[in-house]
């Protein structure tokens, strides 16, 4: 099959989902209502609650949710062939991710812009909040460990990306200064920043850097991992305007540019897909497609992380309720397109089937490296860049996405550690909390495999935790729908599906870790399993309780918002 | 739309995209710095000898408006200063 045809079909399916299904959700299920003031309007304070233009809001909603995960997941999952991954990404985006992201945004908007954590307190009960903390702690832990390994692997596989990766930090630092001290205007800063980034890629391409194979007795991969965590720890302690803010901004621009480069190249090069549609001869040791596909691709099909962004920040900036359809659902659409791009790069970016099979020799062998290789070849054919430059562009893109997520992940983990400390009655300082956050992630990375090779073993576990988070948000959405006497099916069907695949996948993984005698991951798997059962039990109890609810949830919430408005004045 | 207003729109949109995700963090950082300044300015009035009080004395009127919000944030129900009752 030609990759152009596949992308047209995929984009068509996802856009049809936006035009048809999201309209149905917005009108019939969530009943978005512009006469109801949003928290941004009602509680406007110029800081958290700011009514924002929907296109701008979509821009930072999308750049916050899209990262390396929708690249890594599909790049691993195409080992079963392109068709299963393609179907899960397209159908998942339309019926799972879209409904979930829009639902979480709606739930939070109706609840004064509160986070999913606070919502679980209201709709599930006192234990809901603790449950949320446990799930989010695990999620961030795995994001940080897995992404450190992803970056380290890429830095070793593509030494030309070393200079742009670390140079991007300098660019971000300078941009922060240009904006705050020199007062440069943003269009100028954007152009200069992006040009500087691409200049670094060009320099890096002609000056590859690699670490010696061992430094102080540690293998090179382990050294990169330690350096990355050291960096992430320091970055999360710096004032945000110094590094994280300009870095996020440039990465956001880069996300759009990279998507443009990738799809533009597919359009120009129109490569044939060489990978099989359904791979019947998967390498030994590849787990079975059901259920592992559904946890390997989390972001790009459905991801609990989106619910956190929806409920944490976006919901406080929505100018009117009907904008939620564009911001929430179309945010999922953007992520789905990124995942689709990753599928195409890893299946059509190889010259022959045997090249592809050579890359995908074992489960987890392909991954981002395959994305860099395949994507690089498509860009080479499409835009006529030299091969190594094209690969450097792809590698740098993937690394920057992963690194920004890691920066934010470490920072958020610090807050979670502090919050857990508060509940336990211990006050943890910034530094101590950061050291704990970085320490556990490092311990997990190295505990899973002594040279840091274990990080990617965590990937399916990361997927399960992410789906668990989504299940938690979906159950809140379902409870709210039941309370309003509407059908909860659009949330309930994905919820049941996720419940089954996550628990099934966790059991399969238990067996794998048991036979590999990897006790650390076995223990972690058990913890997630307990959390998963806990989420489902709480959700079922709360839902059956919600059926007997005869109050008016929206009226109660309106009262609460008015009380909050009064309290502020 | 003319080119100029389009550029202005672009500039506003980019500025919003740059600032919005970090507005809260920056506001909190600013408040922490303001609180520190408050302690320095109010040091003498609170009975703590401050070496810079000769200079900070003239800042006192400038911070009066903030005293109420400040002492509430510091967990004091009423103003810690006898000569300054704000609530």
């Amino acid at each position: 099959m030609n990759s152009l045809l596949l992308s047209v079909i995929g984009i068509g399916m996802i856009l049809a989902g936006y035009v048809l299904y999201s309209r149905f959700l917005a009108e019939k299920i969530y009943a978005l209502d512009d006469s109801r003031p949003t928290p941004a309007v009602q509680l406007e304070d110029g800081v958290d609650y700011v009514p924002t233009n929907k296109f701008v809001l979509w821009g930072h909603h999308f750049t916050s949710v899209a990262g390396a995960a929708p690249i890594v997941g599909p790049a691993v999952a195409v080992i079963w062939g392109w068709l299963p991954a393609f179907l899960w990404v397209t159908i998942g985006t339309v019926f799972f991710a879209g409904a979930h992201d829009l639902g979480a945004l709606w739930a939070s908007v109706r609840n004064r812009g509160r986070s999913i954590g606070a919502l679980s307190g209201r709709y599930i009960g006192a234990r809901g909040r603790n449950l949320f903390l446990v799930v989010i702690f695990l999620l961030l832990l795995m994001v940080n460990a897995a992404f450190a390994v992803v970056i380290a692997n890429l830095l070793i596989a593509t030494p030309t990306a070393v200079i742009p990766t670390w140079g991007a930090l300098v660019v971000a630092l300078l941009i922060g200064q240009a904006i705050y001290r020199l007062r440069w205007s943003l269009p100028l800063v954007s152009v200069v920043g992006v040009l500087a980034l691409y200049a670094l890629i060009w320099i890096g391409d002609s000056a590859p850097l690699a670490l010696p194979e061992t430094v102080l007795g540690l293998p090179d991969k382990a050294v990169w991992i330690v350096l990355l965590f050291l960096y992430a720890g320091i970055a999360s302690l710096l004032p945000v305007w110094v590094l994280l803010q300009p870095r996020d901004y440039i990465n956001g621009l880069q996300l759009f540019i990279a998507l443009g480069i990738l799809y533009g190249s597919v359009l120009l090069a129109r490569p044939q897909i060489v990978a099989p549609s359904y791979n019947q001869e998967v390498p030994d040791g590849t787990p079975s497609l059901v259920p592992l596909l559904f946890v390997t691709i989390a972001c790009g099909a459905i991801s609990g992380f989106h619910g956190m962004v929806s409920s944490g920040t976006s919901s406080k900036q929505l100018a009117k309720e009907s904008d939620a359809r564009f911001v929430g659902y179309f945010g999922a659409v953007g992520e789905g397109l990124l995942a689709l791009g990753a599928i195409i790069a890893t299946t059509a970016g190889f010259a022959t089937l045997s090249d592809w099979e050579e890359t995908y020799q074992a489960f987890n062998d392909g991954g981002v490296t395959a994305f860099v290789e395949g994507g690089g070849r498509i860009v080479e054919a499409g835009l006529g860049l030299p091969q190594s430059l094209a690969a450097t562009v792809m590698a740098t893109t993937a690394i920057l996405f992963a690194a920004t997520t890691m920066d934010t992940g470490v920072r958020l983990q610090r807050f979670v550690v502090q919050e857990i400390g508060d509940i336990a009655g211990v006050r943890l300082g910034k530094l101590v909390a950061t050291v704990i956050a970085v320490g556990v992630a490092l311990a997990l990375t190295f505990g899973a495999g002594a040279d840091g090779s274990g990080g990617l073993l965590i990937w399916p576990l990361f997927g399960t935790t992410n789906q668990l988070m989504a299940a938690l948000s979906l159950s809140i959405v379902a409870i709210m729908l039941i309370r309003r006497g509407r059908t909860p099916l659009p949330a309930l069907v994905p919820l049941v599906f996720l419940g089954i695949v996550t628990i099934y996948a966790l059991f399969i993984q238990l067996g794998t870790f048991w036979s590999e005698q990897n006790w650390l991951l076995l223990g972690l798997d058990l913890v997630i399993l307990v959390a998963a059962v806990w989420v489902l039990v709480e959700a079922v109890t709360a839902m059956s309780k919600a059926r007997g609810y005869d109050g008016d949830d929206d009226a109660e919430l309106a009262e609460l918002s008015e009380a909050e408005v009064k309290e502020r004045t | 739309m003319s080119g100029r207003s389009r550029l202005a729109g672009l500039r506003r949109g980019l500025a919003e995209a740059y600032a919005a995700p970090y507005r809260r963090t920056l506001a909190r950082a600013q408040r922490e710095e303001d609180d520190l300044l408050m302690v320095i300015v109010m040091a003498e009035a609170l009975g703590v000898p401050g070496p810079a009080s000769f200079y900070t004395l003239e800042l006192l009127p400038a911070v009066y408006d903030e005293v109420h919000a400040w002492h509430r944030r510091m967990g004091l129900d009423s103003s810690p200063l006898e000569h300054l009752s704000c609530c």
Side-chain angles (χ1 to χ4, degrees), chain A residues 46-48 50 56 60 179-180 186 245-246 248-249 411, chain B residues 11 13-20 22-27:
Chain A
V47 180
D48 285 337
V50 185
V56 174
H60 54 85
I179 288 174
Y180 281 106
L186 271 164
Q245 191 180 17
D248 267 6
Y249 179 75
R411 205 179 154 75
Chain B
R11 189 175 293 143
L14 289 178
E16 183 61 30
Y18 191 85
Y22 287 97
R23 226 178 254 136
R24 176 190 211 144
T25 321
L26 291 177

PDB file of all heavy atoms in Angstrom, chain A residues 46-48 50 56 60 179-180 186 245-246 248-249 411, chain B residues 11 13-20 22-27:
ATOM      1  N   GLY A  46      -6.782  36.880  35.925  1.00  0.00           N
ATOM      2  CA  GLY A  46      -5.571  37.305  35.207  1.00  0.00           C
ATOM      3  C   GLY A  46      -4.386  36.374  35.412  1.00  0.00           C
ATOM      4  O   GLY A  46      -3.341  36.569  34.816  1.00  0.00           O
ATOM      5  N   VAL A  47      -4.551  35.359  36.260  1.00  0.00           N
ATOM      6  CA  VAL A  47      -3.434  34.444  36.483  1.00  0.00           C
ATOM      7  C   VAL A  47      -3.828  33.039  36.028  1.00  0.00           C
ATOM      8  O   VAL A  47      -3.397  32.566  34.977  1.00  0.00           O
ATOM      9  CB  VAL A  47      -3.013  34.430  37.966  1.00  0.00           C
ATOM     10  CG1 VAL A  47      -1.860  33.474  38.165  1.00  0.00           C
ATOM     11  CG2 VAL A  47      -2.614  35.819  38.411  1.00  0.00           C
ATOM     12  N   ASP A  48      -4.671  32.370  36.817  1.00  0.00           N
ATOM     13  CA  ASP A  48      -5.094  31.025  36.448  1.00  0.00           C
ATOM     14  C   ASP A  48      -6.263  31.063  35.486  1.00  0.00           C
ATOM     15  O   ASP A  48      -6.317  30.330  34.521  1.00  0.00           O
ATOM     16  CB  ASP A  48      -5.545  30.265  37.696  1.00  0.00           C
ATOM     17  CG  ASP A  48      -4.368  29.835  38.518  1.00  0.00           C
ATOM     18  OD1 ASP A  48      -3.279  29.736  37.949  1.00  0.00           O
ATOM     19  OD2 ASP A  48      -4.540  29.617  39.727  1.00  0.00           O
ATOM     20  N   VAL A  50      -8.169  32.766  32.811  1.00  0.00           N
ATOM     21  CA  VAL A  50      -8.095  33.799  31.788  1.00  0.00           C
ATOM     22  C   VAL A  50      -8.834  33.318  30.546  1.00  0.00           C
ATOM     23  O   VAL A  50      -8.454  32.304  29.964  1.00  0.00           O
ATOM     24  CB  VAL A  50      -6.625  34.079  31.398  1.00  0.00           C
ATOM     25  CG1 VAL A  50      -6.540  35.232  30.434  1.00  0.00           C
ATOM     26  CG2 VAL A  50      -5.784  34.347  32.626  1.00  0.00           C
ATOM     27  N   VAL A  56      -5.539  29.803  20.102  1.00  0.00           N
ATOM     28  CA  VAL A  56      -4.347  29.896  20.948  1.00  0.00           C
ATOM     29  C   VAL A  56      -4.395  28.815  22.023  1.00  0.00           C
ATOM     30  O   VAL A  56      -3.406  28.120  22.290  1.00  0.00           O
ATOM     31  CB  VAL A  56      -4.260  31.295  21.596  1.00  0.00           C
ATOM     32  CG1 VAL A  56      -3.111  31.343  22.581  1.00  0.00           C
ATOM     33  CG2 VAL A  56      -4.121  32.368  20.541  1.00  0.00           C
ATOM     34  N   HIS A  60      -1.679  25.679  22.833  1.00  0.00           N
ATOM     35  CA  HIS A  60      -0.864  25.172  23.948  1.00  0.00           C
ATOM     36  C   HIS A  60      -1.424  23.945  24.607  1.00  0.00           C
ATOM     37  O   HIS A  60      -0.700  23.195  25.217  1.00  0.00           O
ATOM     38  CB  HIS A  60      -0.355  26.242  24.917  1.00  0.00           C
ATOM     39  CG  HIS A  60      -1.326  27.152  25.534  1.00  0.00           C
ATOM     40  ND1 HIS A  60      -2.009  26.826  26.650  1.00  0.00           N
ATOM     41  CD2 HIS A  60      -1.670  28.413  25.222  1.00  0.00           C
ATOM     42  CE1 HIS A  60      -2.761  27.852  27.000  1.00  0.00           C
ATOM     43  NE2 HIS A  60      -2.580  28.823  26.151  1.00  0.00           N
ATOM     44  N   ILE A 179      13.817  37.682  25.672  1.00  0.00           N
ATOM     45  CA  ILE A 179      12.438  38.105  25.902  1.00  0.00           C
ATOM     46  C   ILE A 179      12.324  38.971  27.153  1.00  0.00           C
ATOM     47  O   ILE A 179      11.721  40.038  27.132  1.00  0.00           O
ATOM     48  CB  ILE A 179      11.519  36.878  26.018  1.00  0.00           C
ATOM     49  CG1 ILE A 179      11.367  36.252  24.633  1.00  0.00           C
ATOM     50  CG2 ILE A 179      10.161  37.264  26.573  1.00  0.00           C
ATOM     51  CD1 ILE A 179      10.608  34.972  24.618  1.00  0.00           C
ATOM     52  N   TYR A 180      12.938  38.534  28.237  1.00  0.00           N
ATOM     53  CA  TYR A 180      12.719  39.238  29.495  1.00  0.00           C
ATOM     54  C   TYR A 180      13.635  40.431  29.692  1.00  0.00           C
ATOM     55  O   TYR A 180      13.264  41.409  30.321  1.00  0.00           O
ATOM     56  CB  TYR A 180      12.836  38.277  30.676  1.00  0.00           C
ATOM     57  CG  TYR A 180      11.591  37.470  30.842  1.00  0.00           C
ATOM     58  CD1 TYR A 180      11.546  36.130  30.497  1.00  0.00           C
ATOM     59  CD2 TYR A 180      10.420  38.068  31.307  1.00  0.00           C
ATOM     60  CE1 TYR A 180      10.390  35.399  30.618  1.00  0.00           C
ATOM     61  CE2 TYR A 180       9.257  37.347  31.434  1.00  0.00           C
ATOM     62  CZ  TYR A 180       9.244  36.015  31.093  1.00  0.00           C
ATOM     63  OH  TYR A 180       8.086  35.295  31.207  1.00  0.00           O
ATOM     64  N   LEU A 186       7.947  38.679  20.082  1.00  0.00           N
ATOM     65  CA  LEU A 186       7.891  37.225  19.949  1.00  0.00           C
ATOM     66  C   LEU A 186       8.027  36.690  18.523  1.00  0.00           C
ATOM     67  O   LEU A 186       8.693  35.669  18.334  1.00  0.00           O
ATOM     68  CB  LEU A 186       6.630  36.689  20.617  1.00  0.00           C
ATOM     69  CG  LEU A 186       6.881  36.383  22.080  1.00  0.00           C
ATOM     70  CD1 LEU A 186       5.585  36.228  22.823  1.00  0.00           C
ATOM     71  CD2 LEU A 186       7.699  35.111  22.243  1.00  0.00           C
ATOM     72  N   GLN A 245      10.334  27.767  30.297  1.00  0.00           N
ATOM     73  CA  GLN A 245       9.341  28.491  29.512  1.00  0.00           C
ATOM     74  C   GLN A 245       9.784  28.695  28.063  1.00  0.00           C
ATOM     75  O   GLN A 245       9.059  28.317  27.141  1.00  0.00           O
ATOM     76  CB  GLN A 245       9.026  29.827  30.196  1.00  0.00           C
ATOM     77  CG  GLN A 245       7.835  30.518  29.612  1.00  0.00           C
ATOM     78  CD  GLN A 245       7.543  31.844  30.307  1.00  0.00           C
ATOM     79  OE1 GLN A 245       8.390  32.394  31.001  1.00  0.00           O
ATOM     80  NE2 GLN A 245       6.350  32.359  30.106  1.00  0.00           N
ATOM     81  N   PRO A 246      10.986  29.255  27.829  1.00  0.00           N
ATOM     82  CA  PRO A 246      11.406  29.388  26.435  1.00  0.00           C
ATOM     83  C   PRO A 246      11.602  28.036  25.745  1.00  0.00           C
ATOM     84  O   PRO A 246      11.335  27.896  24.556  1.00  0.00           O
ATOM     85  CB  PRO A 246      12.743  30.134  26.521  1.00  0.00           C
ATOM     86  CG  PRO A 246      13.168  30.069  27.928  1.00  0.00           C
ATOM     87  CD  PRO A 246      11.935  29.907  28.754  1.00  0.00           C
ATOM     88  N   ASP A 248       9.884  25.198  26.275  1.00  0.00           N
ATOM     89  CA  ASP A 248       8.559  24.719  25.877  1.00  0.00           C
ATOM     90  C   ASP A 248       8.074  25.419  24.631  1.00  0.00           C
ATOM     91  O   ASP A 248       7.472  24.814  23.748  1.00  0.00           O
ATOM     92  CB  ASP A 248       7.544  25.025  26.988  1.00  0.00           C
ATOM     93  CG  ASP A 248       7.405  23.864  27.939  1.00  0.00           C
ATOM     94  OD1 ASP A 248       8.171  22.902  27.779  1.00  0.00           O
ATOM     95  OD2 ASP A 248       6.545  23.941  28.823  1.00  0.00           O
ATOM     96  N   TYR A 249       8.319  26.709  24.584  1.00  0.00           N
ATOM     97  CA  TYR A 249       7.809  27.512  23.480  1.00  0.00           C
ATOM     98  C   TYR A 249       8.451  27.086  22.164  1.00  0.00           C
ATOM     99  O   TYR A 249       7.757  26.812  21.176  1.00  0.00           O
ATOM    100  CB  TYR A 249       8.088  28.988  23.769  1.00  0.00           C
ATOM    101  CG  TYR A 249       7.637  29.923  22.680  1.00  0.00           C
ATOM    102  CD1 TYR A 249       6.289  30.207  22.516  1.00  0.00           C
ATOM    103  CD2 TYR A 249       8.542  30.510  21.825  1.00  0.00           C
ATOM    104  CE1 TYR A 249       5.867  31.061  21.521  1.00  0.00           C
ATOM    105  CE2 TYR A 249       8.132  31.368  20.829  1.00  0.00           C
ATOM    106  CZ  TYR A 249       6.798  31.640  20.681  1.00  0.00           C
ATOM    107  OH  TYR A 249       6.382  32.488  19.692  1.00  0.00           O
ATOM    108  N   ARG A 411       9.490  17.995  37.341  1.00  0.00           N
ATOM    109  CA  ARG A 411       8.921  19.115  38.086  1.00  0.00           C
ATOM    110  C   ARG A 411       7.601  18.729  38.753  1.00  0.00           C
ATOM    111  O   ARG A 411       7.380  18.979  39.942  1.00  0.00           O
ATOM    112  CB  ARG A 411       8.704  20.251  37.102  1.00  0.00           C
ATOM    113  CG  ARG A 411       8.700  21.590  37.710  1.00  0.00           C
ATOM    114  CD  ARG A 411       8.497  22.639  36.633  1.00  0.00           C
ATOM    115  NE  ARG A 411       7.889  23.787  37.261  1.00  0.00           N
ATOM    116  CZ  ARG A 411       8.563  24.630  38.029  1.00  0.00           C
ATOM    117  NH1 ARG A 411       9.846  24.474  38.227  1.00  0.00           N
ATOM    118  NH2 ARG A 411       7.951  25.630  38.598  1.00  0.00           N
TER     119      ARG A 411
ATOM    120  N   ARG B  11       1.287  38.538  16.864  1.00  0.00           N
ATOM    121  CA  ARG B  11       2.135  38.842  18.016  1.00  0.00           C
ATOM    122  C   ARG B  11       1.379  38.563  19.316  1.00  0.00           C
ATOM    123  O   ARG B  11       1.917  37.977  20.246  1.00  0.00           O
ATOM    124  CB  ARG B  11       2.568  40.309  17.951  1.00  0.00           C
ATOM    125  CG  ARG B  11       3.621  40.661  18.977  1.00  0.00           C
ATOM    126  CD  ARG B  11       4.116  42.076  18.800  1.00  0.00           C
ATOM    127  NE  ARG B  11       4.845  42.236  17.560  1.00  0.00           N
ATOM    128  CZ  ARG B  11       4.786  43.345  16.801  1.00  0.00           C
ATOM    129  NH1 ARG B  11       4.021  44.348  17.166  1.00  0.00           N
ATOM    130  NH2 ARG B  11       5.503  43.432  15.700  1.00  0.00           N
ATOM    131  N   GLY B  13      -1.153  36.492  19.736  1.00  0.00           N
ATOM    132  CA  GLY B  13      -1.349  35.049  19.876  1.00  0.00           C
ATOM    133  C   GLY B  13      -0.091  34.369  20.395  1.00  0.00           C
ATOM    134  O   GLY B  13      -0.141  33.553  21.314  1.00  0.00           O
ATOM    135  N   LEU B  14       1.057  34.737  19.825  1.00  0.00           N
ATOM    136  CA  LEU B  14       2.318  34.130  20.263  1.00  0.00           C
ATOM    137  C   LEU B  14       2.613  34.491  21.714  1.00  0.00           C
ATOM    138  O   LEU B  14       3.068  33.668  22.494  1.00  0.00           O
ATOM    139  CB  LEU B  14       3.463  34.582  19.357  1.00  0.00           C
ATOM    140  CG  LEU B  14       3.472  34.008  17.936  1.00  0.00           C
ATOM    141  CD1 LEU B  14       4.626  34.584  17.143  1.00  0.00           C
ATOM    142  CD2 LEU B  14       3.568  32.500  17.959  1.00  0.00           C
ATOM    143  N   ALA B  15       2.339  35.767  22.055  1.00  0.00           N
ATOM    144  CA  ALA B  15       2.614  36.197  23.432  1.00  0.00           C
ATOM    145  C   ALA B  15       1.769  35.390  24.403  1.00  0.00           C
ATOM    146  O   ALA B  15       2.246  34.953  25.456  1.00  0.00           O
ATOM    147  CB  ALA B  15       2.312  37.687  23.585  1.00  0.00           C
ATOM    148  N   GLU B  16       0.516  35.151  24.011  1.00  0.00           N
ATOM    149  CA  GLU B  16      -0.379  34.385  24.862  1.00  0.00           C
ATOM    150  C   GLU B  16       0.149  32.946  24.990  1.00  0.00           C
ATOM    151  O   GLU B  16       0.210  32.395  26.083  1.00  0.00           O
ATOM    152  CB  GLU B  16      -1.767  34.408  24.227  1.00  0.00           C
ATOM    153  CG  GLU B  16      -2.859  33.722  25.012  1.00  0.00           C
ATOM    154  CD  GLU B  16      -3.086  34.327  26.374  1.00  0.00           C
ATOM    155  OE1 GLU B  16      -2.857  35.538  26.538  1.00  0.00           O
ATOM    156  OE2 GLU B  16      -3.470  33.575  27.280  1.00  0.00           O
ATOM    157  N   ALA B  17       0.567  32.380  23.857  1.00  0.00           N
ATOM    158  CA  ALA B  17       1.077  31.010  23.878  1.00  0.00           C
ATOM    159  C   ALA B  17       2.335  30.925  24.737  1.00  0.00           C
ATOM    160  O   ALA B  17       2.598  29.925  25.384  1.00  0.00           O
ATOM    161  CB  ALA B  17       1.370  30.524  22.458  1.00  0.00           C
ATOM    162  N   TYR B  18       3.114  32.010  24.731  1.00  0.00           N
ATOM    163  CA  TYR B  18       4.348  31.994  25.519  1.00  0.00           C
ATOM    164  C   TYR B  18       4.052  32.110  27.007  1.00  0.00           C
ATOM    165  O   TYR B  18       4.617  31.405  27.825  1.00  0.00           O
ATOM    166  CB  TYR B  18       5.255  33.154  25.090  1.00  0.00           C
ATOM    167  CG  TYR B  18       6.648  33.056  25.663  1.00  0.00           C
ATOM    168  CD1 TYR B  18       7.609  32.287  25.024  1.00  0.00           C
ATOM    169  CD2 TYR B  18       6.986  33.694  26.842  1.00  0.00           C
ATOM    170  CE1 TYR B  18       8.874  32.161  25.536  1.00  0.00           C
ATOM    171  CE2 TYR B  18       8.253  33.574  27.369  1.00  0.00           C
ATOM    172  CZ  TYR B  18       9.195  32.813  26.711  1.00  0.00           C
ATOM    173  OH  TYR B  18      10.448  32.684  27.239  1.00  0.00           O
ATOM    174  N   ALA B  19       3.136  33.005  27.338  1.00  0.00           N
ATOM    175  CA  ALA B  19       2.944  33.339  28.752  1.00  0.00           C
ATOM    176  C   ALA B  19       1.987  32.404  29.469  1.00  0.00           C
ATOM    177  O   ALA B  19       2.224  32.012  30.606  1.00  0.00           O
ATOM    178  CB  ALA B  19       2.447  34.779  28.871  1.00  0.00           C
ATOM    179  N   ALA B  20       0.895  32.027  28.790  1.00  0.00           N
ATOM    180  CA  ALA B  20      -0.209  31.374  29.493  1.00  0.00           C
ATOM    181  C   ALA B  20       0.182  30.162  30.334  1.00  0.00           C
ATOM    182  O   ALA B  20      -0.199  30.093  31.499  1.00  0.00           O
ATOM    183  CB  ALA B  20      -1.303  31.016  28.499  1.00  0.00           C
ATOM    184  N   TYR B  22       2.635  29.448  31.954  1.00  0.00           N
ATOM    185  CA  TYR B  22       3.489  29.702  33.121  1.00  0.00           C
ATOM    186  C   TYR B  22       3.005  30.854  33.985  1.00  0.00           C
ATOM    187  O   TYR B  22       3.693  31.255  34.912  1.00  0.00           O
ATOM    188  CB  TYR B  22       4.929  29.958  32.661  1.00  0.00           C
ATOM    189  CG  TYR B  22       5.572  28.680  32.207  1.00  0.00           C
ATOM    190  CD1 TYR B  22       5.620  28.344  30.876  1.00  0.00           C
ATOM    191  CD2 TYR B  22       6.065  27.776  33.141  1.00  0.00           C
ATOM    192  CE1 TYR B  22       6.168  27.147  30.470  1.00  0.00           C
ATOM    193  CE2 TYR B  22       6.609  26.580  32.742  1.00  0.00           C
ATOM    194  CZ  TYR B  22       6.664  26.270  31.412  1.00  0.00           C
ATOM    195  OH  TYR B  22       7.192  25.073  31.022  1.00  0.00           O
ATOM    196  N   ARG B  23       1.811  31.390  33.645  1.00  0.00           N
ATOM    197  CA  ARG B  23       1.339  32.563  34.373  1.00  0.00           C
ATOM    198  C   ARG B  23       1.271  32.304  35.877  1.00  0.00           C
ATOM    199  O   ARG B  23       1.690  33.107  36.678  1.00  0.00           O
ATOM    200  CB  ARG B  23      -0.039  32.935  33.854  1.00  0.00           C
ATOM    201  CG  ARG B  23      -0.169  34.403  33.601  1.00  0.00           C
ATOM    202  CD  ARG B  23      -1.524  34.692  33.044  1.00  0.00           C
ATOM    203  NE  ARG B  23      -1.471  34.978  31.635  1.00  0.00           N
ATOM    204  CZ  ARG B  23      -2.315  34.492  30.742  1.00  0.00           C
ATOM    205  NH1 ARG B  23      -3.275  33.669  31.123  1.00  0.00           N
ATOM    206  NH2 ARG B  23      -2.216  34.817  29.502  1.00  0.00           N
ATOM    207  N   ARG B  24       0.763  31.131  36.213  1.00  0.00           N
ATOM    208  CA  ARG B  24       0.569  30.823  37.615  1.00  0.00           C
ATOM    209  C   ARG B  24       1.901  30.717  38.356  1.00  0.00           C
ATOM    210  O   ARG B  24       2.067  31.310  39.426  1.00  0.00           O
ATOM    211  CB  ARG B  24      -0.177  29.501  37.702  1.00  0.00           C
ATOM    212  CG  ARG B  24      -0.341  29.047  39.107  1.00  0.00           C
ATOM    213  CD  ARG B  24      -0.854  27.634  39.146  1.00  0.00           C
ATOM    214  NE  ARG B  24      -1.651  27.480  40.339  1.00  0.00           N
ATOM    215  CZ  ARG B  24      -2.729  26.738  40.409  1.00  0.00           C
ATOM    216  NH1 ARG B  24      -3.153  26.102  39.355  1.00  0.00           N
ATOM    217  NH2 ARG B  24      -3.383  26.612  41.531  1.00  0.00           N
ATOM    218  N   THR B  25       2.841  29.998  37.770  1.00  0.00           N
ATOM    219  CA  THR B  25       4.147  29.809  38.410  1.00  0.00           C
ATOM    220  C   THR B  25       4.824  31.158  38.616  1.00  0.00           C
ATOM    221  O   THR B  25       5.409  31.424  39.666  1.00  0.00           O
ATOM    222  CB  THR B  25       5.045  28.940  37.524  1.00  0.00           C
ATOM    223  OG1 THR B  25       4.250  27.926  36.956  1.00  0.00           O
ATOM    224  CG2 THR B  25       6.166  28.340  38.306  1.00  0.00           C
ATOM    225  N   LEU B  26       4.745  32.009  37.582  1.00  0.00           N
ATOM    226  CA  LEU B  26       5.410  33.307  37.691  1.00  0.00           C
ATOM    227  C   LEU B  26       4.728  34.186  38.736  1.00  0.00           C
ATOM    228  O   LEU B  26       5.399  34.885  39.496  1.00  0.00           O
ATOM    229  CB  LEU B  26       5.428  34.003  36.328  1.00  0.00           C
ATOM    230  CG  LEU B  26       6.334  33.319  35.306  1.00  0.00           C
ATOM    231  CD1 LEU B  26       6.253  34.014  33.962  1.00  0.00           C
ATOM    232  CD2 LEU B  26       7.776  33.301  35.782  1.00  0.00           C
ATOM    233  N   ALA B  27       3.384  34.114  38.773  1.00  0.00           N
ATOM    234  CA  ALA B  27       2.670  34.923  39.768  1.00  0.00           C
ATOM    235  C   ALA B  27       3.071  34.510  41.176  1.00  0.00           C
ATOM    236  O   ALA B  27       3.275  35.338  42.061  1.00  0.00           O
ATOM    237  CB  ALA B  27       1.165  34.783  39.570  1.00  0.00           C
TER     238      ALA B  27
END
